[in-house]
Amino acid sequence: MDRNRILKSYYGFDTFKEGQAEVIDSIMAGRDVMCIMPTGAGKSVCYQIPALMQSGTTLVVSPLISLMKDQVSALSQMDIKTAYINSSMTSQEYGRTLSAMSRGLYRIVYVAPERLHSETFAEICREIDIAVDEAHCISQWGQDFRPSYLRIAEFVRELPGRPVIGAFTATATPDVKEDIKTLLELDDPFCITTSFDRPNLSFTVIHPDN
């Protein structure tokens, strides 16, 4: 199924938002991407649709448990096989999820960056692509928040084959963009920054009389 049919059948949209199609096409062509899109612009679609277009599993590295749960819930309602792996799970839940993942039952798995250090987890990661959500966390200021982001590149280097890597965030200064490219070791990435204009939002300054 091509990207337009997936967009319609799973998400209910007829057309892509700015930049989405270009990011999807780059990932499908085997090219790393760095995608800077404002909140609400549809970053998740950019890695979810490629996950549905190809075999294997897409790992989505995310620091936010609540976001993982929301995304997995939404995708499950769309009948997309998805799971998350984070510290909120019991050891039994973790084991069952790893077992299912090793059998290729999931198209998308959301994972906290700390889980990448697990040897057991690394052993089952074979045919995967990787999307790094909240990629600004790898930059200098974000390392204090989630230092495990610094070890994503190390995890990738130890895989049997290098996957396509996508870095996604809502905002990044030029310095942060360079940090993302360097510290994730992106290979000639397709880089896109879409407009931050939100036509549905407006700001008004009112000077009161008193």
Side-chain angles (χ1 to χ4, degrees), residues 1 37 51 81 130 136 151 159 203:
M1 191 180 299
M37 289 183 178
K81 299 297 183 183
I130 296 179
H136 59 272
R151 297 182 61 182
L159 293 173
F203 297 89

Side-chain angles (χ1 to χ4, degrees), residues 63-171:
L64 305 172
I65 290 176
S66 60
L67 177 60
M68 293 186 199
K69 291 181 176 180
D70 288 347
Q71 293 277 8
V72 168
S73 176
L75 291 168
S76 296
Q77 290 179 17
M78 295 158 61
D79 202 27
I80 298 171
K81 299 297 183 183
T82 314
Y84 61 76
I85 297 176
N86 57 48
S87 60
S88 72
M89 307 173 75
T90 65
S91 58
Q92 291 81 7
E93 289 171 335
Y94 179 57
R96 286 196 298 268
T97 302
L98 282 186
S99 176
M101 185 178 171
S102 68
R103 288 178 280 133
L105 299 184
Y106 298 124
R107 306 304 297 272
I108 302 172
V109 175
Y110 287 81
V111 59
E114 291 80 8
R115 293 290 171 171
L116 301 181
H117 312 333
S118 164
E119 186 174 333
T120 303
F121 180 80
E123 285 176 354
I124 68 171
C125 292
R126 294 294 181 263
E127 190 179 352
I128 63 169
D129 281 345
I130 296 179
V132 181
D133 205 6
E134 309 296 339
H136 59 272
C137 290
I138 201 170
S139 191
Q140 186 172 7
W141 73 270
Q143 296 162 16
D144 294 333
F145 167 55
R146 235 24 195 272
S148 292
Y149 266 71
L150 286 176
R151 297 182 61 182
I152 294 175
E154 176 186 338
F155 170 78
V156 171
R157 288 196 298 269
E158 293 175 353
L159 293 173
R162 187 189 185 280
V164 175
I165 302 174
F168 300 84
T169 187
T171 182

